[in-house]
Amino acid sequence: MAASRVSNLTHYSIFQSSPSDAGLPTSFKVVEAHSKRYRNISIQASLQRENEPNNNFQALESQSSLGDFQSDVVSKDPNTLPRPLSSTQLSSSVSDRSRLRVAYQGVRGAYSESAAQKAYPNCEAVPCEQFDTAFEAVERWLVDRAVLPIENSLGGSIHRNYDLLLRHSLHIVGEVKYAVRHCLLANHGVKIEDLKRVLSHPQALAQCENTLTRLGLVREAVDDTAGAAKHVAFHKLEDAGAVASSAAAEIYGLNILAQDIQDDSDNITRFLMLAREPIIPGTDRAFKTSIVFSLEEGPGVLFKALAVFALRQINLTKIESRPLRKQPLRGSDDNNTKYFDYLFYVDFEASMADQSAQNALGHLNEFATFLRVLGSYPVDTSMA
Ligand SMILES: O=C(O)C(=O)C[C@]1(C(=O)O)C=C[C@@H](O)C=C1
């Protein structure tokens, strides 16, 4: 395994074995080279910004380079609203503004937009069609950061983003928890009894399972909650409603038929803040570190991997396993059985600046077949 040392704090994310092990695309190397070119220029600025508890960046302009995007404008006509960035538009020119530009997935009024504003107050939130587009927008310097959902207290993990974290070379520089309060929206004049179907993001539909079942509505999944509201408004649908935020109701001119329709009042989504550069991990406040690794097949191997943290009293806050796509099956020495191969994503409560975390990762690296630190960042204690 060609791994750099754990003690190299600012470059800890390079701590990985051959990219082919992890099913990375060939474009990975190009992106890496591109970002290295700028590493020295940007690292100071990004480290300084991330370490500020409240990033308040001065807005020099209000017009975005994406054309019609204006973050403060509330409009009832969906045609006048900004179009999300698609992957084909990623070659657009890079903006020279000083206001922090933060990519999120969805259209205006999505919860992800609110999370981006919570993570970076006064930022310019830039809508993107897909999660991949948001990752690419950061990598290509079109935006400074991305804020993307990773897990929800009711619906569980957002697996797509776990996979994309590995396929891209961005660093986790923070987390933000956002309380998601869903509304049932419909066009003015439409009553609950008129509705036959409801459109929303699959996670949002899952979070409102009980209410939607009680109402007997057919669920239709779309890319994001606000996109569902926009669709219902734009097509003036009379048999369909949308599960979305009250902000989306205001933006797209819809009526709120019911509020707080999620199955549990404590419906929290955790979002990750992603950047091209890592932050310098501190010990001045509570930090969390996210890693991904793979292991040899064998009895007790995962137990052994988790023991490197338990032995040092390091608390784990999340564990997720994902299939290793490029190499889904592997054989056993003893018989002809083929097993699925997995990547393990673990979050633990320690900073990479803590000696115990360094020791734990050094220990894990002795037997892991692949190990990468995705980021070491301050814990969001706003909803603790
Ligand atoms: O559709 C939106 O509004 C989003 O921001 C996406 C998303 C998600 O992907 O989980 C974010 C928060 C809620 O949990 C529901 C949906």
Side-chain angles (χ1 to χ4, degrees), residues 110-112 131 149 152 158 180 201 203-204 207 224-225 269 271:
Y111 295 103
S112 299
F131 292 138
N152 172 266
I158 288 114
V180 173
H201 186 281
Q203 275 276 341
Q207 292 159 19
D224 70 288
T225 58
T269 301
F271 291 80

Side-chain angles (χ1 to χ4, degrees), residues 81 190 216 264 331 363:
L81 290 166
V190 173
D264 196 316
H363 190 173

Side-chain angles (χ1 to χ4, degrees), residues 122-261:
N122 199 31
C123 71
E124 182 185 340
V126 179
C128 293
E129 267 182 7
Q130 303 296 336
F131 292 138
D132 317 46
T133 328
F135 273 88
E136 277 190 55
V138 182
E139 282 170 340
R140 296 192 189 188
W141 291 74
L142 290 170
V143 297
D144 307 292
R145 304 282 186 278
V147 170
L148 298 171
I150 196 72
E151 60 174 330
N152 172 266
S153 55
L154 295 178
S157 296
I158 288 114
H159 294 131
R160 177 89 187 130
N161 281 333
Y162 275 100
D163 297 343
L164 289 172
L165 275 173
L166 189 69
R167 226 172 292 165
H168 292 266
S169 53
L170 298 183
H171 303 265
I172 306 174
V173 294
E175 64 170 4
V176 64
K177 293 186 196 130
Y178 186 82
V180 173
R181 301 181 64 180
H182 292 301
C183 302
L184 180 60
L185 311 181
N187 280 302
H188 289 276
V190 173
K191 297 193 280 300
I192 285 198
E193 311 82 81
D194 302 329
L195 298 180
K196 293 193 173 44
R197 51 200 183 102
V198 64
L199 280 61
S200 199
H201 186 281
Q203 275 276 341
L205 294 171
Q207 292 159 19
C208 303
E209 179 72 28
N210 296 344
T211 313
L212 301 179
T213 303
R214 190 161 34 81
L215 294 173
L217 298 175
V218 172
R219 282 81 144 168
E220 287 181 23
V222 293
D223 280 349
D224 70 288
T225 58
K230 185 176 174 178
H231 184 87
V232 168
F234 186 76
H235 296 282
K236 300 186 172 55
L237 301 180
E238 293 185 352
D239 67 332
V243 172
S245 64
S246 54
E250 175 67 17
I251 293 168
Y252 303 107
L254 292 176
N255 188 25
I256 300 179
L257 291 176
Q259 265 176 320
D260 277 326
I261 60 165

